[in-house]
Amino acid sequence: MVKVIASSVRKGNVLEVDGHLCTVLSAESFFPGKGTPTTQIDMRRIADGVKVTQRYKTTEQVERAYVEDRDFTYLYQDGEQFIFMNPETFDQINVSSDVVGDAAPYLQENMAVTLSMFEDRAVAIEMPQRAVLEVVETEPVTKGQTASSSYKPAILSNGVRTAVPPHIGVGTRIVVMTADGSYVERAKD
């Protein structure tokens, strides 16, 4: 275990809190005009999946567990389990949907991801920042609306709703951020 200050904790880190290992879901620092700066950390206990929220002073020390980040390739989903393969040894690992969480819709076959391993169990996943998806449903393209700054709703091939510029039509492949599903650009392929 390593002691780190609370403000340096990031999503995906693994902390030891009250004797339990917890995966960090989000960490947000608050710097009020008056008073002590604080960091609020939302975590999920690895053992039982219970969500925990803790608030620390930003300079307070927390115990960070040593996890090993390993590269894996996503293969497929089997019910509540996601199957990943180690590209070097070809060993397969099952990861529960609790660990994958909000990243699930963006997983694509043969996508390279980083899994944080603790005692040969996956405790967190790090996705590529961007994914290429196809628009399957949106309003029709309006002629002459190329310079408009307004966005229109669209549904992507993974079922996620997002907002796209008016010139994007059904069947267009676009690049989105995997963190929040926001539109980045039209795909280059």
Side-chain angles (χ1 to χ4, degrees), residues 72 76-84 92-101 113 115 117 121-125:
F72 281 87
Y76 59 93
Q77 183 176 357
D78 184 16
E80 289 289 308
Q81 298 287 315
F82 292 84
I83 314 303
F84 294 87
Q92 292 186 7
I93 181 173
N94 293 9
V95 179
S96 76
S97 57
D98 290 345
V99 174
V100 176
V113 300
L115 293 176
M117 306 295 287
R121 272 183 58 207
V123 294
I125 185 170

mmCIF file with all atom_site columns, all heavy atoms in Angstrom, residues 72 76-84 92-101 113 115 117 121-125:
data_model
loop_
_atom_site.group_PDB
_atom_site.id
_atom_site.type_symbol
_atom_site.label_atom_id
_atom_site.label_alt_id
_atom_site.label_comp_id
_atom_site.label_asym_id
_atom_site.label_entity_id
_atom_site.label_seq_id
_atom_site.pdbx_PDB_ins_code
_atom_site.Cartn_x
_atom_site.Cartn_y
_atom_site.Cartn_z
_atom_site.occupancy
_atom_site.B_iso_or_equiv
_atom_site.pdbx_formal_charge
_atom_site.auth_seq_id
_atom_site.auth_comp_id
_atom_site.auth_asym_id
_atom_site.auth_atom_id
_atom_site.pdbx_PDB_model_num
ATOM 1   N N   . PHE A 1 72  ? -5.456  -5.733  -22.456 1.00 0.00 ? 72  PHE A N   1
ATOM 2   C CA  . PHE A 1 72  ? -6.301  -6.843  -22.870 1.00 0.00 ? 72  PHE A CA  1
ATOM 3   C C   . PHE A 1 72  ? -7.046  -6.456  -24.131 1.00 0.00 ? 72  PHE A C   1
ATOM 4   O O   . PHE A 1 72  ? -7.166  -5.273  -24.455 1.00 0.00 ? 72  PHE A O   1
ATOM 5   C CB  . PHE A 1 72  ? -7.322  -7.190  -21.766 1.00 0.00 ? 72  PHE A CB  1
ATOM 6   C CG  . PHE A 1 72  ? -6.743  -8.004  -20.641 1.00 0.00 ? 72  PHE A CG  1
ATOM 7   C CD1 . PHE A 1 72  ? -6.132  -7.389  -19.572 1.00 0.00 ? 72  PHE A CD1 1
ATOM 8   C CD2 . PHE A 1 72  ? -6.813  -9.389  -20.655 1.00 0.00 ? 72  PHE A CD2 1
ATOM 9   C CE1 . PHE A 1 72  ? -5.587  -8.122  -18.537 1.00 0.00 ? 72  PHE A CE1 1
ATOM 10  C CE2 . PHE A 1 72  ? -6.279  -10.136 -19.623 1.00 0.00 ? 72  PHE A CE2 1
ATOM 11  C CZ  . PHE A 1 72  ? -5.662  -9.511  -18.557 1.00 0.00 ? 72  PHE A CZ  1
ATOM 12  N N   . TYR A 1 76  ? -16.037 -10.640 -26.290 1.00 0.00 ? 76  TYR A N   1
ATOM 13  C CA  . TYR A 1 76  ? -17.497 -10.656 -26.403 1.00 0.00 ? 76  TYR A CA  1
ATOM 14  C C   . TYR A 1 76  ? -18.128 -10.589 -25.012 1.00 0.00 ? 76  TYR A C   1
ATOM 15  O O   . TYR A 1 76  ? -17.455 -10.692 -23.998 1.00 0.00 ? 76  TYR A O   1
ATOM 16  C CB  . TYR A 1 76  ? -17.979 -11.924 -27.129 1.00 0.00 ? 76  TYR A CB  1
ATOM 17  C CG  . TYR A 1 76  ? -17.578 -13.214 -26.449 1.00 0.00 ? 76  TYR A CG  1
ATOM 18  C CD1 . TYR A 1 76  ? -18.425 -13.840 -25.539 1.00 0.00 ? 76  TYR A CD1 1
ATOM 19  C CD2 . TYR A 1 76  ? -16.356 -13.818 -26.718 1.00 0.00 ? 76  TYR A CD2 1
ATOM 20  C CE1 . TYR A 1 76  ? -18.060 -15.024 -24.907 1.00 0.00 ? 76  TYR A CE1 1
ATOM 21  C CE2 . TYR A 1 76  ? -15.980 -14.997 -26.098 1.00 0.00 ? 76  TYR A CE2 1
ATOM 22  C CZ  . TYR A 1 76  ? -16.837 -15.598 -25.189 1.00 0.00 ? 76  TYR A CZ  1
ATOM 23  O OH  . TYR A 1 76  ? -16.471 -16.754 -24.571 1.00 0.00 ? 76  TYR A OH  1
ATOM 24  N N   . GLN A 1 77  ? -19.467 -10.422 -25.003 1.00 0.00 ? 77  GLN A N   1
ATOM 25  C CA  . GLN A 1 77  ? -20.233 -10.385 -23.761 1.00 0.00 ? 77  GLN A CA  1
ATOM 26  C C   . GLN A 1 77  ? -21.004 -11.687 -23.627 1.00 0.00 ? 77  GLN A C   1
ATOM 27  O O   . GLN A 1 77  ? -21.597 -12.169 -24.579 1.00 0.00 ? 77  GLN A O   1
ATOM 28  C CB  . GLN A 1 77  ? -21.208 -9.206  -23.759 1.00 0.00 ? 77  GLN A CB  1
ATOM 29  C CG  . GLN A 1 77  ? -21.969 -9.074  -22.452 1.00 0.00 ? 77  GLN A CG  1
ATOM 30  C CD  . GLN A 1 77  ? -22.876 -7.851  -22.415 1.00 0.00 ? 77  GLN A CD  1
ATOM 31  O OE1 . GLN A 1 77  ? -22.887 -7.068  -23.345 1.00 0.00 ? 77  GLN A OE1 1
ATOM 32  N NE2 . GLN A 1 77  ? -23.612 -7.708  -21.341 1.00 0.00 ? 77  GLN A NE2 1
ATOM 33  N N   . ASP A 1 78  ? -20.969 -12.263 -22.426 1.00 0.00 ? 78  ASP A N   1
ATOM 34  C CA  . ASP A 1 78  ? -21.680 -13.509 -22.146 1.00 0.00 ? 78  ASP A CA  1
ATOM 35  C C   . ASP A 1 78  ? -22.556 -13.260 -20.925 1.00 0.00 ? 78  ASP A C   1
ATOM 36  O O   . ASP A 1 78  ? -22.101 -13.404 -19.793 1.00 0.00 ? 78  ASP A O   1
ATOM 37  C CB  . ASP A 1 78  ? -20.677 -14.645 -21.911 1.00 0.00 ? 78  ASP A CB  1
ATOM 38  C CG  . ASP A 1 78  ? -21.361 -15.991 -21.715 1.00 0.00 ? 78  ASP A CG  1
ATOM 39  O OD1 . ASP A 1 78  ? -22.556 -16.095 -22.058 1.00 0.00 ? 78  ASP A OD1 1
ATOM 40  O OD2 . ASP A 1 78  ? -20.714 -16.920 -21.205 1.00 0.00 ? 78  ASP A OD2 1
ATOM 41  N N   . GLY A 1 79  ? -23.800 -12.842 -21.151 1.00 0.00 ? 79  GLY A N   1
ATOM 42  C CA  . GLY A 1 79  ? -24.700 -12.512 -20.036 1.00 0.00 ? 79  GLY A CA  1
ATOM 43  C C   . GLY A 1 79  ? -24.195 -11.304 -19.277 1.00 0.00 ? 79  GLY A C   1
ATOM 44  O O   . GLY A 1 79  ? -24.013 -10.235 -19.851 1.00 0.00 ? 79  GLY A O   1
ATOM 45  N N   . GLU A 1 80  ? -23.933 -11.471 -17.972 1.00 0.00 ? 80  GLU A N   1
ATOM 46  C CA  . GLU A 1 80  ? -23.430 -10.376 -17.121 1.00 0.00 ? 80  GLU A CA  1
ATOM 47  C C   . GLU A 1 80  ? -21.905 -10.291 -17.155 1.00 0.00 ? 80  GLU A C   1
ATOM 48  O O   . GLU A 1 80  ? -21.329 -9.438  -16.490 1.00 0.00 ? 80  GLU A O   1
ATOM 49  C CB  . GLU A 1 80  ? -23.901 -10.582 -15.673 1.00 0.00 ? 80  GLU A CB  1
ATOM 50  C CG  . GLU A 1 80  ? -25.388 -10.357 -15.475 1.00 0.00 ? 80  GLU A CG  1
ATOM 51  C CD  . GLU A 1 80  ? -25.780 -8.890  -15.589 1.00 0.00 ? 80  GLU A CD  1
ATOM 52  O OE1 . GLU A 1 80  ? -25.173 -8.051  -14.903 1.00 0.00 ? 80  GLU A OE1 1
ATOM 53  O OE2 . GLU A 1 80  ? -26.674 -8.587  -16.393 1.00 0.00 ? 80  GLU A OE2 1
ATOM 54  N N   . GLN A 1 81  ? -21.252 -11.197 -17.870 1.00 0.00 ? 81  GLN A N   1
ATOM 55  C CA  . GLN A 1 81  ? -19.792 -11.242 -17.919 1.00 0.00 ? 81  GLN A CA  1
ATOM 56  C C   . GLN A 1 81  ? -19.277 -10.707 -19.255 1.00 0.00 ? 81  GLN A C   1
ATOM 57  O O   . GLN A 1 81  ? -19.885 -10.923 -20.302 1.00 0.00 ? 81  GLN A O   1
ATOM 58  C CB  . GLN A 1 81  ? -19.301 -12.695 -17.743 1.00 0.00 ? 81  GLN A CB  1
ATOM 59  C CG  . GLN A 1 81  ? -19.675 -13.319 -16.413 1.00 0.00 ? 81  GLN A CG  1
ATOM 60  C CD  . GLN A 1 81  ? -18.864 -12.749 -15.267 1.00 0.00 ? 81  GLN A CD  1
ATOM 61  O OE1 . GLN A 1 81  ? -17.654 -12.597 -15.366 1.00 0.00 ? 81  GLN A OE1 1
ATOM 62  N NE2 . GLN A 1 81  ? -19.536 -12.412 -14.178 1.00 0.00 ? 81  GLN A NE2 1
ATOM 63  N N   . PHE A 1 82  ? -18.138 -10.025 -19.202 1.00 0.00 ? 82  PHE A N   1
ATOM 64  C CA  . PHE A 1 82  ? -17.453 -9.557  -20.404 1.00 0.00 ? 82  PHE A CA  1
ATOM 65  C C   . PHE A 1 82  ? -16.158 -10.353 -20.508 1.00 0.00 ? 82  PHE A C   1
ATOM 66  O O   . PHE A 1 82  ? -15.435 -10.475 -19.526 1.00 0.00 ? 82  PHE A O   1
ATOM 67  C CB  . PHE A 1 82  ? -17.166 -8.054  -20.315 1.00 0.00 ? 82  PHE A CB  1
ATOM 68  C CG  . PHE A 1 82  ? -18.414 -7.214  -20.351 1.00 0.00 ? 82  PHE A CG  1
ATOM 69  C CD1 . PHE A 1 82  ? -19.141 -6.979  -19.194 1.00 0.00 ? 82  PHE A CD1 1
ATOM 70  C CD2 . PHE A 1 82  ? -18.869 -6.670  -21.537 1.00 0.00 ? 82  PHE A CD2 1
ATOM 71  C CE1 . PHE A 1 82  ? -20.297 -6.219  -19.221 1.00 0.00 ? 82  PHE A CE1 1
ATOM 72  C CE2 . PHE A 1 82  ? -20.026 -5.910  -21.577 1.00 0.00 ? 82  PHE A CE2 1
ATOM 73  C CZ  . PHE A 1 82  ? -20.740 -5.686  -20.414 1.00 0.00 ? 82  PHE A CZ  1
ATOM 74  N N   . ILE A 1 83  ? -15.873 -10.892 -21.681 1.00 0.00 ? 83  ILE A N   1
ATOM 75  C CA  . ILE A 1 83  ? -14.718 -11.757 -21.861 1.00 0.00 ? 83  ILE A CA  1
ATOM 76  C C   . ILE A 1 83  ? -13.604 -10.965 -22.558 1.00 0.00 ? 83  ILE A C   1
ATOM 77  O O   . ILE A 1 83  ? -13.812 -10.387 -23.624 1.00 0.00 ? 83  ILE A O   1
ATOM 78  C CB  . ILE A 1 83  ? -15.070 -13.010 -22.707 1.00 0.00 ? 83  ILE A CB  1
ATOM 79  C CG1 . ILE A 1 83  ? -16.386 -13.654 -22.242 1.00 0.00 ? 83  ILE A CG1 1
ATOM 80  C CG2 . ILE A 1 83  ? -13.907 -14.003 -22.691 1.00 0.00 ? 83  ILE A CG2 1
ATOM 81  C CD1 . ILE A 1 83  ? -16.449 -14.063 -20.803 1.00 0.00 ? 83  ILE A CD1 1
ATOM 82  N N   . PHE A 1 84  ? -12.427 -10.948 -21.923 1.00 0.00 ? 84  PHE A N   1
ATOM 83  C CA  . PHE A 1 84  ? -11.252 -10.257 -22.449 1.00 0.00 ? 84  PHE A CA  1
ATOM 84  C C   . PHE A 1 84  ? -10.126 -11.273 -22.621 1.00 0.00 ? 84  PHE A C   1
ATOM 85  O O   . PHE A 1 84  ? -10.082 -12.282 -21.923 1.00 0.00 ? 84  PHE A O   1
ATOM 86  C CB  . PHE A 1 84  ? -10.790 -9.153  -21.491 1.00 0.00 ? 84  PHE A CB  1
ATOM 87  C CG  . PHE A 1 84  ? -11.760 -8.023  -21.356 1.00 0.00 ? 84  PHE A CG  1
ATOM 88  C CD1 . PHE A 1 84  ? -12.788 -8.075  -20.426 1.00 0.00 ? 84  PHE A CD1 1
ATOM 89  C CD2 . PHE A 1 84  ? -11.643 -6.888  -22.142 1.00 0.00 ? 84  PHE A CD2 1
ATOM 90  C CE1 . PHE A 1 84  ? -13.689 -7.032  -20.293 1.00 0.00 ? 84  PHE A CE1 1
ATOM 91  C CE2 . PHE A 1 84  ? -12.549 -5.843  -22.019 1.00 0.00 ? 84  PHE A CE2 1
ATOM 92  C CZ  . PHE A 1 84  ? -13.564 -5.915  -21.098 1.00 0.00 ? 84  PHE A CZ  1
ATOM 93  N N   . GLN A 1 92  ? -7.824  -16.041 -21.314 1.00 0.00 ? 92  GLN A N   1
ATOM 94  C CA  . GLN A 1 92  ? -9.062  -15.269 -21.269 1.00 0.00 ? 92  GLN A CA  1
ATOM 95  C C   . GLN A 1 92  ? -9.440  -14.996 -19.827 1.00 0.00 ? 92  GLN A C   1
ATOM 96  O O   . GLN A 1 92  ? -9.165  -15.794 -18.935 1.00 0.00 ? 92  GLN A O   1
ATOM 97  C CB  . GLN A 1 92  ? -10.184 -16.021 -21.985 1.00 0.00 ? 92  GLN A CB  1
ATOM 98  C CG  . GLN A 1 92  ? -9.946  -16.102 -23.471 1.00 0.00 ? 92  GLN A CG  1
ATOM 99  C CD  . GLN A 1 92  ? -11.110 -16.713 -24.214 1.00 0.00 ? 92  GLN A CD  1
ATOM 100 O OE1 . GLN A 1 92  ? -12.161 -16.965 -23.646 1.00 0.00 ? 92  GLN A OE1 1
ATOM 101 N NE2 . GLN A 1 92  ? -10.920 -16.952 -25.498 1.00 0.00 ? 92  GLN A NE2 1
ATOM 102 N N   . ILE A 1 93  ? -10.077 -13.846 -19.607 1.00 0.00 ? 93  ILE A N   1
ATOM 103 C CA  . ILE A 1 93  ? -10.500 -13.448 -18.271 1.00 0.00 ? 93  ILE A CA  1
ATOM 104 C C   . ILE A 1 93  ? -11.951 -12.965 -18.351 1.00 0.00 ? 93  ILE A C   1
ATOM 105 O O   . ILE A 1 93  ? -12.328 -12.304 -19.319 1.00 0.00 ? 93  ILE A O   1
ATOM 106 C CB  . ILE A 1 93  ? -9.567  -12.354 -17.694 1.00 0.00 ? 93  ILE A CB  1
ATOM 107 C CG1 . ILE A 1 93  ? -9.982  -11.955 -16.287 1.00 0.00 ? 93  ILE A CG1 1
ATOM 108 C CG2 . ILE A 1 93  ? -9.500  -11.152 -18.595 1.00 0.00 ? 93  ILE A CG2 1
ATOM 109 C CD1 . ILE A 1 93  ? -9.016  -11.008 -15.605 1.00 0.00 ? 93  ILE A CD1 1
ATOM 110 N N   . ASN A 1 94  ? -12.748 -13.333 -17.353 1.00 0.00 ? 94  ASN A N   1
ATOM 111 C CA  . ASN A 1 94  ? -14.135 -12.865 -17.266 1.00 0.00 ? 94  ASN A CA  1
ATOM 112 C C   . ASN A 1 94  ? -14.168 -11.657 -16.342 1.00 0.00 ? 94  ASN A C   1
ATOM 113 O O   . ASN A 1 94  ? -13.608 -11.702 -15.252 1.00 0.00 ? 94  ASN A O   1
ATOM 114 C CB  . ASN A 1 94  ? -15.049 -13.948 -16.691 1.00 0.00 ? 94  ASN A CB  1
ATOM 115 C CG  . ASN A 1 94  ? -15.183 -15.131 -17.620 1.00 0.00 ? 94  ASN A CG  1
ATOM 116 O OD1 . ASN A 1 94  ? -14.485 -15.228 -18.613 1.00 0.00 ? 94  ASN A OD1 1
ATOM 117 N ND2 . ASN A 1 94  ? -16.086 -16.028 -17.294 1.00 0.00 ? 94  ASN A ND2 1
ATOM 118 N N   . VAL A 1 95  ? -14.850 -10.601 -16.778 1.00 0.00 ? 95  VAL A N   1
ATOM 119 C CA  . VAL A 1 95  ? -14.975 -9.386  -15.980 1.00 0.00 ? 95  VAL A CA  1
ATOM 120 C C   . VAL A 1 95  ? -16.461 -9.103  -15.803 1.00 0.00 ? 95  VAL A C   1
ATOM 121 O O   . VAL A 1 95  ? -17.217 -9.100  -16.776 1.00 0.00 ? 95  VAL A O   1
ATOM 122 C CB  . VAL A 1 95  ? -14.270 -8.189  -16.673 1.00 0.00 ? 95  VAL A CB  1
ATOM 123 C CG1 . VAL A 1 95  ? -14.427 -6.929  -15.864 1.00 0.00 ? 95  VAL A CG1 1
ATOM 124 C CG2 . VAL A 1 95  ? -12.793 -8.511  -16.899 1.00 0.00 ? 95  VAL A CG2 1
ATOM 125 N N   . SER A 1 96  ? -16.875 -8.848  -14.566 1.00 0.00 ? 96  SER A N   1
ATOM 126 C CA  . SER A 1 96  ? -18.303 -8.628  -14.303 1.00 0.00 ? 96  SER A CA  1
ATOM 127 C C   . SER A 1 96  ? -18.754 -7.263  -14.811 1.00 0.00 ? 96  SER A C   1
ATOM 128 O O   . SER A 1 96  ? -17.950 -6.345  -14.979 1.00 0.00 ? 96  SER A O   1
ATOM 129 C CB  . SER A 1 96  ? -18.601 -8.758  -12.805 1.00 0.00 ? 96  SER A CB  1
ATOM 130 O OG  . SER A 1 96  ? -18.169 -7.605  -12.132 1.00 0.00 ? 96  SER A OG  1
ATOM 131 N N   . SER A 1 97  ? -20.055 -7.134  -15.020 1.00 0.00 ? 97  SER A N   1
ATOM 132 C CA  . SER A 1 97  ? -20.611 -5.870  -15.519 1.00 0.00 ? 97  SER A CA  1
ATOM 133 C C   . SER A 1 97  ? -20.453 -4.753  -14.492 1.00 0.00 ? 97  SER A C   1
ATOM 134 O O   . SER A 1 97  ? -20.458 -3.584  -14.859 1.00 0.00 ? 97  SER A O   1
ATOM 135 C CB  . SER A 1 97  ? -22.080 -6.054  -15.899 1.00 0.00 ? 97  SER A CB  1
ATOM 136 O OG  . SER A 1 97  ? -22.808 -6.530  -14.793 1.00 0.00 ? 97  SER A OG  1
ATOM 137 N N   . ASP A 1 98  ? -20.292 -5.081  -13.197 1.00 0.00 ? 98  ASP A N   1
ATOM 138 C CA  . ASP A 1 98  ? -20.050 -4.061  -12.174 1.00 0.00 ? 98  ASP A CA  1
ATOM 139 C C   . ASP A 1 98  ? -18.745 -3.313  -12.443 1.00 0.00 ? 98  ASP A C   1
ATOM 140 O O   . ASP A 1 98  ? -18.651 -2.109  -12.247 1.00 0.00 ? 98  ASP A O   1
ATOM 141 C CB  . ASP A 1 98  ? -19.966 -4.689  -10.771 1.00 0.00 ? 98  ASP A CB  1
ATOM 142 C CG  . ASP A 1 98  ? -21.309 -5.186  -10.285 1.00 0.00 ? 98  ASP A CG  1
ATOM 143 O OD1 . ASP A 1 98  ? -22.340 -4.809  -10.881 1.00 0.00 ? 98  ASP A OD1 1
ATOM 144 O OD2 . ASP A 1 98  ? -21.323 -5.951  -9.307  1.00 0.00 ? 98  ASP A OD2 1
ATOM 145 N N   . VAL A 1 99  ? -17.718 -4.053  -12.881 1.00 0.00 ? 99  VAL A N   1
ATOM 146 C CA  . VAL A 1 99  ? -16.411 -3.443  -13.153 1.00 0.00 ? 99  VAL A CA  1
ATOM 147 C C   . VAL A 1 99  ? -16.464 -2.615  -14.434 1.00 0.00 ? 99  VAL A C   1
ATOM 148 O O   . VAL A 1 99  ? -15.967 -1.506  -14.482 1.00 0.00 ? 99  VAL A O   1
ATOM 149 C CB  . VAL A 1 99  ? -15.312 -4.526  -13.251 1.00 0.00 ? 99  VAL A CB  1
ATOM 150 C CG1 . VAL A 1 99  ? -13.978 -3.917  -13.676 1.00 0.00 ? 99  VAL A CG1 1
ATOM 151 C CG2 . VAL A 1 99  ? -15.171 -5.253  -11.923 1.00 0.00 ? 99  VAL A CG2 1
ATOM 152 N N   . VAL A 1 100 ? -17.111 -3.145  -15.474 1.00 0.00 ? 100 VAL A N   1
ATOM 153 C CA  . VAL A 1 100 ? -17.170 -2.455  -16.768 1.00 0.00 ? 100 VAL A CA  1
ATOM 154 C C   . VAL A 1 100 ? -18.035 -1.198  -16.664 1.00 0.00 ? 100 VAL A C   1
ATOM 155 O O   . VAL A 1 100 ? -17.674 -0.141  -17.166 1.00 0.00 ? 100 VAL A O   1
ATOM 156 C CB  . VAL A 1 100 ? -17.688 -3.404  -17.873 1.00 0.00 ? 100 VAL A CB  1
ATOM 157 C CG1 . VAL A 1 100 ? -17.849 -2.658  -19.189 1.00 0.00 ? 100 VAL A CG1 1
ATOM 158 C CG2 . VAL A 1 100 ? -16.740 -4.577  -18.038 1.00 0.00 ? 100 VAL A CG2 1
ATOM 159 N N   . GLY A 1 101 ? -19.192 -1.303  -16.006 1.00 0.00 ? 101 GLY A N   1
ATOM 160 C CA  . GLY A 1 101 ? -20.048 -0.148  -15.731 1.00 0.00 ? 101 GLY A CA  1
ATOM 161 C C   . GLY A 1 101 ? -20.505 0.603   -16.964 1.00 0.00 ? 101 GLY A C   1
ATOM 162 O O   . GLY A 1 101 ? -20.966 0.011   -17.946 1.00 0.00 ? 101 GLY A O   1
ATOM 163 N N   . VAL A 1 113 ? -8.077  -2.529  -24.432 1.00 0.00 ? 113 VAL A N   1
ATOM 164 C CA  . VAL A 1 113 ? -8.381  -1.810  -23.194 1.00 0.00 ? 113 VAL A CA  1
ATOM 165 C C   . VAL A 1 113 ? -7.304  -2.140  -22.170 1.00 0.00 ? 113 VAL A C   1
ATOM 166 O O   . VAL A 1 113 ? -6.528  -3.075  -22.346 1.00 0.00 ? 113 VAL A O   1
ATOM 167 C CB  . VAL A 1 113 ? -9.771  -2.192  -22.623 1.00 0.00 ? 113 VAL A CB  1
ATOM 168 C CG1 . VAL A 1 113 ? -10.876 -1.868  -23.596 1.00 0.00 ? 113 VAL A CG1 1
ATOM 169 C CG2 . VAL A 1 113 ? -9.816  -3.651  -22.233 1.00 0.00 ? 113 VAL A CG2 1
ATOM 170 N N   . LEU A 1 115 ? -6.900  -3.184  -18.216 1.00 0.00 ? 115 LEU A N   1
ATOM 171 C CA  . LEU A 1 115 ? -7.589  -3.630  -17.008 1.00 0.00 ? 115 LEU A CA  1
ATOM 172 C C   . LEU A 1 115 ? -6.634  -3.499  -15.831 1.00 0.00 ? 115 LEU A C   1
ATOM 173 O O   . LEU A 1 115 ? -5.472  -3.898  -15.920 1.00 0.00 ? 115 LEU A O   1
ATOM 174 C CB  . LEU A 1 115 ? -8.042  -5.087  -17.136 1.00 0.00 ? 115 LEU A CB  1
ATOM 175 C CG  . LEU A 1 115 ? -9.130  -5.387  -18.157 1.00 0.00 ? 115 LEU A CG  1
ATOM 176 C CD1 . LEU A 1 115 ? -9.397  -6.882  -18.236 1.00 0.00 ? 115 LEU A CD1 1
ATOM 177 C CD2 . LEU A 1 115 ? -10.408 -4.653  -17.810 1.00 0.00 ? 115 LEU A CD2 1
ATOM 178 N N   . MET A 1 117 ? -5.523  -4.889  -12.487 1.00 0.00 ? 117 MET A N   1
ATOM 179 C CA  . MET A 1 117 ? -5.620  -6.203  -11.855 1.00 0.00 ? 117 MET A CA  1
ATOM 180 C C   . MET A 1 117 ? -5.125  -6.134  -10.416 1.00 0.00 ? 117 MET A C   1
ATOM 181 O O   . MET A 1 117 ? -4.091  -5.541  -10.134 1.00 0.00 ? 117 MET A O   1
ATOM 182 C CB  . MET A 1 117 ? -4.784  -7.228  -12.628 1.00 0.00 ? 117 MET A CB  1
ATOM 183 C CG  . MET A 1 117 ? -5.100  -7.313  -14.108 1.00 0.00 ? 117 MET A CG  1
ATOM 184 S SD  . MET A 1 117 ? -6.739  -7.906  -14.462 1.00 0.00 ? 117 MET A SD  1
ATOM 185 C CE  . MET A 1 117 ? -6.547  -9.622  -14.059 1.00 0.00 ? 117 MET A CE  1
ATOM 186 N N   . ARG A 1 121 ? -7.573  -10.388 -10.235 1.00 0.00 ? 121 ARG A N   1
ATOM 187 C CA  . ARG A 1 121 ? -8.969  -10.030 -10.494 1.00 0.00 ? 121 ARG A CA  1
ATOM 188 C C   . ARG A 1 121 ? -9.000  -8.642  -11.091 1.00 0.00 ? 121 ARG A C   1
ATOM 189 O O   . ARG A 1 121 ? -8.290  -7.746  -10.635 1.00 0.00 ? 121 ARG A O   1
ATOM 190 C CB  . ARG A 1 121 ? -9.767  -10.001 -9.172  1.00 0.00 ? 121 ARG A CB  1
ATOM 191 C CG  . ARG A 1 121 ? -10.357 -11.338 -8.800  1.00 0.00 ? 121 ARG A CG  1
ATOM 192 C CD  . ARG A 1 121 ? -11.187 -11.261 -7.533  1.00 0.00 ? 121 ARG A CD  1
ATOM 193 N NE  . ARG A 1 121 ? -12.279 -10.310 -7.621  1.00 0.00 ? 121 ARG A NE  1
ATOM 194 C CZ  . ARG A 1 121 ? -12.780 -9.703  -6.555  1.00 0.00 ? 121 ARG A CZ  1
ATOM 195 N NH1 . ARG A 1 121 ? -12.322 -9.922  -5.359  1.00 0.00 ? 121 ARG A NH1 1
ATOM 196 N NH2 . ARG A 1 121 ? -13.794 -8.863  -6.694  1.00 0.00 ? 121 ARG A NH2 1
ATOM 197 N N   . ALA A 1 122 ? -9.826  -8.468  -12.115 1.00 0.00 ? 122 ALA A N   1
ATOM 198 C CA  . ALA A 1 122 ? -9.978  -7.136  -12.714 1.00 0.00 ? 122 ALA A CA  1
ATOM 199 C C   . ALA A 1 122 ? -10.825 -6.286  -11.769 1.00 0.00 ? 122 ALA A C   1
ATOM 200 O O   . ALA A 1 122 ? -11.897 -6.707  -11.339 1.00 0.00 ? 122 ALA A O   1
ATOM 201 C CB  . ALA A 1 122 ? -10.645 -7.239  -14.069 1.00 0.00 ? 122 ALA A CB  1
ATOM 202 N N   . VAL A 1 123 ? -10.322 -5.102  -11.423 1.00 0.00 ? 123 VAL A N   1
ATOM 203 C CA  . VAL A 1 123 ? -11.050 -4.219  -10.506 1.00 0.00 ? 123 VAL A CA  1
ATOM 204 C C   . VAL A 1 123 ? -11.450 -2.905  -11.160 1.00 0.00 ? 123 VAL A C   1
ATOM 205 O O   . VAL A 1 123 ? -12.289 -2.180  -10.641 1.00 0.00 ? 123 VAL A O   1
ATOM 206 C CB  . VAL A 1 123 ? -10.229 -3.943  -9.221  1.00 0.00 ? 123 VAL A CB  1
ATOM 207 C CG1 . VAL A 1 123 ? -10.069 -5.213  -8.405  1.00 0.00 ? 123 VAL A CG1 1
ATOM 208 C CG2 . VAL A 1 123 ? -8.877  -3.340  -9.539  1.00 0.00 ? 123 VAL A CG2 1
ATOM 209 N N   . ALA A 1 124 ? -10.851 -2.589  -12.320 1.00 0.00 ? 124 ALA A N   1
ATOM 210 C CA  . ALA A 1 124 ? -11.198 -1.353  -13.029 1.00 0.00 ? 124 ALA A CA  1
ATOM 211 C C   . ALA A 1 124 ? -10.811 -1.506  -14.496 1.00 0.00 ? 124 ALA A C   1
ATOM 212 O O   . ALA A 1 124 ? -9.947  -2.302  -14.844 1.00 0.00 ? 124 ALA A O   1
ATOM 213 C CB  . ALA A 1 124 ? -10.471 -0.161  -12.415 1.00 0.00 ? 124 ALA A CB  1
ATOM 214 N N   . ILE A 1 125 ? -11.490 -0.731  -15.351 1.00 0.00 ? 125 ILE A N   1
ATOM 215 C CA  . ILE A 1 125 ? -11.217 -0.774  -16.793 1.00 0.00 ? 125 ILE A CA  1
ATOM 216 C C   . ILE A 1 125 ? -10.908 0.636   -17.280 1.00 0.00 ? 125 ILE A C   1
ATOM 217 O O   . ILE A 1 125 ? -11.516 1.606   -16.827 1.00 0.00 ? 125 ILE A O   1
ATOM 218 C CB  . ILE A 1 125 ? -12.413 -1.370  -17.576 1.00 0.00 ? 125 ILE A CB  1
ATOM 219 C CG1 . ILE A 1 125 ? -12.081 -1.518  -19.059 1.00 0.00 ? 125 ILE A CG1 1
ATOM 220 C CG2 . ILE A 1 125 ? -13.672 -0.534  -17.375 1.00 0.00 ? 125 ILE A CG2 1
ATOM 221 C CD1 . ILE A 1 125 ? -13.120 -2.304  -19.835 1.00 0.00 ? 125 ILE A CD1 1
#
